[in-house]
Amino acid sequence: MDVKAEAPSNSPVRGESTAQPSLVQNAVDNKHISKSEASGLVASHIGRGREGAKFPGEVHSTPSGGILVTAIDDVINWARSNSLWPLVFGTSCCAIEMMSTASAKYDWSRFGFEVARATPRQADVIIIAGTIVNKMAPVLKRLYDQMADPKYVIAMGACATSGGPFFYNTYSVVKGADHVIPVDVYIAGCPPRPEALLHALITLQKKIKMGLTREQIRSESKVESK
Amino acid sequence: MTNDNLKIKLSELLPSATYDEGGEWLNVDIDHKDWLYFANSLRNHAELNFDYLFCLTCVDWKTHLTMVYHLESTQYRHAAVIKSKLDRTQPEIESVSHIWRTADFHEREVYELFGVNFLNHPDMRLLILPEGWEGRNPLRKDFEDPVNMIKL
């Protein structure tokens, strides 16, 4: 089966170095402005773009090497989004799909989710893979609190999104993990396929690359859900 | 031992037992007062040697509760299911945790979820439910929880 999402380009030079310098050169030729001003203009365009996958900046070749023009916030977001280590956290069958996504066939390391960490201190993203029961809720909250900022949350599957199959007639299940901690990306499915989890992870990366703060990301996801 | 042979053997041990052979295993219905004697016989009889209790649970039939014990012999590879009706208002049965150690936790689970009281259990308290759940048994059919439960 096809994985629909595009792999983000990890090479800063690819794509940018061929197309953009000529653009800068044109700007210099036509508008008679200094080269540094022009490259600043282009860089800001690229950095704020919503494409997400490209490196936010440009490289100018010089005889002794090259000059990189960019905004430092964009580089930080770009770096952050390409190195999101998930927490080892699974409470039911969604965890099986999550393990599959981590394994050789789907291999989320390709997208920068390098390795799942068994401690919240070293994790950047928590994938709530499974049912959250009332007794688990304080544990989940504590794990989230122990993670270092910036931290992100993905609610995987029906249980984590709304309680799912346990919405009615159960005494023990939390009806949606967002009652406990804030969620950035929701995935539908029971359980979702690994492709769906990869799509959610890449969606999170795109949100981070947009340059929004955590609070902005969350207010945006609230608008989307309305 | 085949189910037919088992039936003959068990009838010798407990003449009052009744049988149902509809499924893969021999189902034995017994009075709950006979359970402790019967369980000891099943475990210690040389030809039976039921040394493995692989399931212990309870069913709420609204009119009564039924305890269900799945037993197997790892030596002879025969299995049997023992069932016993309990009074729903005051369910009590002898603990078998001293015969099969695994029954310790399983009986505690049935205690918290169905409210069955196991007599002579060494540690009769809640297993998973947090403190304060004593007397509220979530797997009873008439269990109500207006705070956490959305009825459909």
Side-chain angles (χ1 to χ4, degrees):
Chain A
M1 188 172 257
D2 256 5
V3 178
K4 289 286 181 195
E6 299 167 4
S9 157
N10 283 341
S11 155
V13 192
R14 195 167 70 201
E16 305 296 340
S17 61
T18 50
Q20 298 307 333
S22 63
L23 218 158
V24 175
Q25 198 56 52
N26 286 342
V28 174
D29 289 347
N30 297 338
K31 294 185 178 171
H32 308 288
I33 50 175
S34 74
K35 191 161 182 169
S36 61
E37 276 175 30
S39 52
L41 267 170
V42 176
S44 69
H45 268 293
I46 298 161
R48 299 294 166 198
R50 299 231 152 182
E51 303 151 302
K54 289 178 187 157
F55 178 73
E58 59 187 69
V59 177
H60 300 277
S61 298
T62 61
S64 57
I67 302 167
L68 172 70
V69 183
T70 183
I72 196 71
D73 280 357
D74 292 333
V75 174
I76 289 171
N77 282 331
W78 171 83
R80 228 169 231 173
S81 67
N82 284 320
S83 176
L84 287 169
W85 288 7
L87 178 69
V88 177
F89 183 81
T91 43
S92 46
C93 41
C94 278
I96 305 294
E97 299 297 308
M98 185 175 74
M99 288 176 236
S100 176
T101 316
S103 311
K105 186 167 178 182
Y106 295 97
D107 190 14
W108 66 22
S109 302
R110 296 179 296 153
F111 304 98
F113 299 91
E114 192 55 37
V115 58
R117 304 309 287 189
T119 163
R121 308 284 187 200
Q122 298 171 357
D124 305 297
V125 55
I126 180 168
I127 300 166
I128 307 170
T131 323
I132 301 299
V133 293
N134 288 334
K135 206 173 173 180
M136 192 68 192
V139 182
L140 176 64
K141 177 77 170 74
R142 170 171 287 195
L143 284 171
Y144 177 76
D145 289 343
Q146 284 176 334
M147 285 164 69
D149 270 322
K151 52 191 170 185
Y152 306 93
V153 181
I154 290 174
M156 180 179 182
C159 291
T161 304
S162 68
F166 307 106
F167 188 81
Y168 293 111
N169 299 336
T170 42
Y171 65 99
S172 55
V173 175
V174 176
K175 275 86 183 167
D178 48 9
H179 287 292
V180 186
I181 56 174
V183 174
D184 294 302
V185 180
Y186 297 85
I187 318 174
C190 186
R193 284 194 57 89
E195 288 92 337
L197 178 56
L198 283 178
H199 183 255
L201 292 165
I202 291 163
T203 304
L204 179 64
Q205 288 184 324
K206 281 185 178 165
K207 281 187 151 188
I208 297 167
K209 279 172 185 160
M210 277 177 201
L212 304 177
T213 62
R214 275 167 60 229
E215 288 69 28
Q216 285 168 325
I217 287 175
R218 274 173 198 141
S219 62
E220 184 160 293
S221 60
K222 269 177 205 158
V223 172
E224 278 171 12
S225 67
K226 269 174 193 168
Chain B
M1 207 181 278
T2 63
N3 281 357
D4 289 335
N5 293 341
L6 264 182
K7 194 172 159 183
I8 295 163
K9 200 80 210 167
L10 297 183
S11 298
E12 287 170 18
L13 288 168
L14 192 72
S16 67
T18 54
Y19 301 89
D20 169 17
E21 290 167 282
E24 182 189 347
W25 293 310
L26 179 70
N27 286 279
V28 189
D29 274 304
I30 62 161
D31 190 281
H32 65 91
K33 291 191 187 75
D34 298 327
W35 173 229
L36 188 60
Y37 157 75
F38 196 51
N40 268 315
S41 316
L42 293 172
R43 176 68 186 87
N44 298 321
H45 194 291
E47 288 174 47
L48 294 173
N49 192 22
F50 282 102
D51 53 1
Y52 181 28
L53 176 68
F54 66 94
C55 184
L56 189 166
T57 187
C58 186
V59 184
D60 183 2
W61 291 100
K62 290 188 178 174
T63 50
H64 60 272
L65 300 175
T66 301
M67 284 301 301
V68 185
Y69 301 85
H70 285 68
L71 292 164
E72 191 182 3
S73 166
T74 56
Q75 185 186 349
Y76 301 114
R77 285 291 163 198
H78 55 219
V81 183
I82 319 296
K83 295 181 181 178
S84 182
K85 276 189 189 181
L86 298 182
D87 179 19
R88 206 166 177 281
T89 51
Q90 205 192 348
E92 276 185 347
I93 194 163
E94 282 287 339
S95 166
V96 288
S97 57
H98 59 286
I99 304 173
W100 298 281
R101 277 299 303 279
T102 186
D104 187 333
F105 275 22
H106 286 97
E107 285 177 348
R108 279 174 63 188
E109 192 180 23
V110 170
Y111 164 72
E112 67 177 8
L113 295 176
F114 291 93
V116 176
N117 192 23
F118 290 90
L119 304 169
N120 301 317
H121 189 284
D123 189 19
M124 195 80 274
R125 58 192 168 90
L126 299 178
L127 178 67
I128 293 168
L129 290 176
E131 275 179 40
W133 275 82
E134 286 88 351
R136 300 169 63 205
N137 309 114
L139 285 198
R140 289 275 189 110
K141 293 289 183 193
D142 56 358
F143 175 76
E144 296 277 351
D145 185 346
V147 177
N148 295 306
M149 217 152 117
I150 301 166
K151 294 283 274 186
L152 184 67

